[in-house]
Amino acid sequence: MSQNDDVRVSLHRSHRVLERLPLRRARVLPRALRADDAAAQSSHRRLERQSRARGRFIKQRAHQVSLQHRRLRRARSHALHRVRHVEELLHHRSIELLRLDARFQRRQPARVRRIARRVARDATRDATYASGLATLESCVEAEQFDRAMMEELFDVADAMERVRPGAPESTMLQGYLMSTLFYEPSTRTRLSFEAAMGRLGGGIVSTESAGEYSSAAKGETLEDTMRTVEGYADIVVLRHFTAGSARRAANAIGKPLINAGDGPGQHPTQALLDVYTIRKEIGRLDDFKIALVGDLANGRTVRSLASALTQFNNVKFYFVAPDVVKMKDDIKDLLTSKGIEWEEATDLAAVAADVDVLYQTRIQKERFANPEDYAKASGKYIVDRTIMDALPKSSVVMHPLPRVDEIVVDVDDDFVDAR
C-alpha cells in the first residue's frame, strides 16, 4: 500500500470518529442531570395539579360561603318580618280587644263599665308609649322625633282612626283641659287640635288672635302669658309669629307644650302629618323622591318636613323656588351632613316627571317686607294640568294649605292628589 493510501485510510477513520462524537457525548451525559430534570418536570406537574385542586376548592368554598350568607340574610329578613308581624299583631289585638260593642257596654253594670274604661286607658297608654314617646315632654321641633318614635306614633294614629263615640277610648282624656293659644290666624291647625281633644273627652280653653285680644296687646311678655295659661290647662298648643317662640314658651312652663307653628321657624305637627300622609299614599318612607316647591325660605312646613324625612333611607330632595325664597342653608347643611342627596332646580315640569311626591306651598305674602320681592316670587311655579300630566301615575301632590293660586282649581279632582 502506498503512502497516499495510508493517508486516505486515516482520513476516513477520522471522519467516522467525528460523525460518532455527538452520539458518544450524548451517551456520556451524567445520569444525575437527566434524573434531576425528570424530577423537576414531575414536581412541576404535581404543583400544577395541586394548584388546580386548590383553585377548585377555593371556588367551591367561596360558593358555599356565598350560599350560607344568602341563607343567613334570608333567615334574618324572615325573622325580622316575623317579629314585626307579631309586634303589629299584638299591638292591634290589644286595641281590638278593647273595642267592645257599645250596646253590650250599656247593658253592663256601672262597675263593669268603669273597669272596662280603666283597662282601655291602661292598654292604650302602654301601646302608645312603647318607644321614646314616653320621654317626650313637649313637641317643639321636628328633630325631636326619630324613626322609631314616628313609626310608633303612626301605628297609634291608625288605631285611633277607628275610635268611635261611646268606645272606651273616646273618654281617655276626660277631665283634662287643653289651651289653644294662637297669635296668628289658623283654621285647620286650631280646629284639628280642638276636634281631637273633644273626640277623646277632653275640654278646651281657646283664644284666637291672641296678639290682639289678649294681654299681649297691653305689652305682656310671652313668658308671662304662658305662666298664666299654665294655671288653667294641662297642655298648651301655641302658634306664634316669631321663630323660636315655641322653645321660649316651653322653657317657661312645666306643662307639656305643642308647637303649632312659630313664624318661619318650625311646624313639627304638620311635618308628622305630612310624613304620615306620604306613608299612606305611596306605601313607604324609604327610597323615594320629593320636590319641595314654593316659598322655601319662609315656609315652616317644608323646613320641618325636610328635617323629619332625614330619619329615613334613600330620600332625595328637589328644591324648586324663586330666587328670593330659596331653601335656607341650615336645611341644606343638615341634609349634607347626613349624606342625603338634594338638588336645586328651576324646571318644575322636569322635576315633576321624576318624583313620587310633589309638595307645593304658597308664597307667603305676610312674610315680605318689600312688595317688589313678593311680586318676583308670586305666580312663578304653579301646578296646573301640564304639571299633573308630567307626574307619574303613582305620584301624589300635597299642600299644607291655605292655597292662593299655586295649584289651579281645575286639577282638584285629579286622582293623584293626596289632598
Side-chain angles (χ1 to χ4, degrees):
M1 180 179 296
S2 65
Q3 187 176 1
N4 290 335
D5 292 336
D6 292 340
V7 171
R8 283 195 299 272
V9 171
S10 296
L11 288 174
H12 178 69
R13 291 176 178 173
S14 299
H15 179 69
R16 293 191 63 183
V17 169
L18 289 174
E19 285 180 344
R20 296 176 181 177
L21 183 60
L23 182 60
R24 290 180 179 179
R25 291 182 63 183
R27 289 174 179 171
V28 298
L29 283 175
R31 293 184 179 181
L33 181 60
R34 291 199 301 272
D36 289 345
D37 184 59
Q41 292 179 1
S42 176
S43 177
H44 179 69
R45 288 193 294 271
R46 185 172 63 256
L47 289 175
E48 284 185 342
R49 288 195 299 271
Q50 291 176 353
S51 177
R52 287 194 294 271
R54 286 197 186 96
R56 287 193 299 270
F57 174 77
I58 290 172
K59 289 181 180 179
Q60 292 173 355
R61 187 58 181 164
H63 181 65
Q64 292 173 357
V65 170
S66 177
L67 290 176
Q68 291 176 356
H69 181 64
R70 285 199 292 268
R71 283 197 293 269
L72 288 174
R73 280 195 304 177
R74 285 197 297 268
R76 181 177 179 273
S77 176
H78 293 330
L80 289 175
H81 178 74
R82 286 196 296 270
V83 168
R84 177 59 66 86
H85 176 70
V86 171
E87 288 178 347
E88 291 179 354
L89 182 63
L90 291 175
H91 171 73
H92 292 296
R93 182 61 57 85
S94 65
I95 298 297
E96 292 293 339
L97 290 176
L98 300 172
R99 289 195 176 84
L100 304 176
D101 184 82
R103 291 174 296 177
F104 175 77
Q105 285 286 319
R106 286 194 294 269
R107 291 197 296 267
Q108 305 306 309
R111 179 173 176 272
V112 174
R113 291 200 298 271
R114 285 196 301 272
I115 294 173
R117 283 196 296 269
R118 185 170 65 251
V119 170
R121 285 194 300 269
D122 293 342
T124 306
R125 182 174 63 248
D126 293 340
T128 302
Y129 299 119
S131 70
L133 287 173
T135 62
L136 189 66
E137 296 180 357
S138 293
C139 174
V140 180
E141 297 104 5
E143 291 85 353
Q144 292 176 267
F145 294 85
D146 59 21
R147 178 170 188 151
M149 294 170 69
M150 282 189 275
E151 290 181 344
E152 176 77 14
L153 185 62
F154 298 158
D155 289 342
V156 174
D158 288 336
M160 296 302 292
E161 188 178 7
R162 297 189 289 271
V163 174
R164 295 292 179 265
E169 299 91 341
S170 66
T171 59
M172 66 172 60
L173 296 181
Q174 188 172 2
Y176 293 93
L177 279 177
M178 177 184 71
S179 172
T180 50
L181 188 61
F182 279 60
Y183 287 78
E184 282 189 324
S186 173
T187 303
R188 282 154 294 276
T189 303
R190 185 169 66 87
L191 292 181
S192 64
F193 276 107
E194 293 178 357
M197 191 69 177
R199 288 181 181 276
L200 296 177
I204 301 156
V205 288
S206 178
T207 177
E208 188 177 6
S209 301
E212 183 179 356
Y213 298 112
S214 72
S215 294
K218 304 174 184 179
E220 184 176 58
T221 65
L222 175 63
E223 287 80 1
D224 286 346
T225 299
M226 295 304 303
R227 294 185 188 103
T228 302
V229 174
E230 179 186 19
Y232 305 141
D234 301 290
I235 185 170
V236 180
V237 180
L238 174 68
R239 168 168 288 185
H240 203 273
F241 49 82
T242 304
S245 57
R247 174 53 63 191
R248 288 170 48 206
N251 292 337
I253 62 176
K255 298 287 181 65
L257 179 138
I258 297 177
N259 179 9
D262 57 348
Q266 285 266 353
H267 199 337
T269 58
Q270 179 68 50
L272 293 171
L273 176 61
D274 291 335
V275 177
Y276 179 67
T277 301
I278 292 172
R279 188 182 79 158
K280 293 192 72 173
E281 291 295 327
I282 69 173
R284 63 187 187 279
L285 289 173
D286 296 314
D287 304 311
F288 73 94
K289 299 177 182 179
I290 181 170
L292 304 181
V293 186
D295 191 344
L296 306 187
N298 301 307
R300 57 196 173 207
T301 59
V302 290
R303 293 170 56 81
S304 294
L305 178 58
S307 297
L309 289 177
T310 61
Q311 298 294 324
F312 302 95
N313 301 320
N314 197 27
V315 179
K316 180 176 180 180
F317 291 85
Y318 290 95
F319 299 140
V320 184
D323 290 338
V324 293
V325 287
K326 284 187 174 183
M327 180 63 78
K328 294 181 179 179
D329 290 339
D330 60 336
I331 296 298
K332 297 177 186 176
D333 293 341
L334 173 65
L335 298 179
T336 301
S337 67
K338 292 180 176 289
I340 297 173
E341 187 177 0
W342 61 270
E343 176 183 336
E344 289 186 318
T346 57
D347 189 344
L348 181 57
V351 169
D354 191 43
V355 297
D356 302 287
V357 178
L358 194 153
Y359 191 93
Q360 176 74 298
T361 64
R362 69 184 176 93
I363 304 299
Q364 301 184 31
K365 186 176 182 179
E366 66 274 17
R367 309 290 183 198
F368 287 83
N370 186 352
E372 294 181 359
D373 289 339
Y374 174 73
K376 293 177 183 177
S378 179
K380 186 168 184 180
Y381 294 110
I382 296 177
V383 175
D384 53 16
R385 176 55 55 189
T386 302
I387 301 300
M388 298 300 285
D389 290 342
L391 281 168
K393 295 300 183 182
S394 59
S395 299
V396 294
V397 174
M398 297 172 59
H399 195 302
L401 300 177
R403 168 178 61 178
V404 181
D405 59 358
E406 60 278 356
I407 299 181
V408 299
V409 296
D410 296 343
V411 303
D412 283 0
D413 294 331
D414 196 285
F415 71 94
V416 300
D417 187 358
R419 284 186 287 278

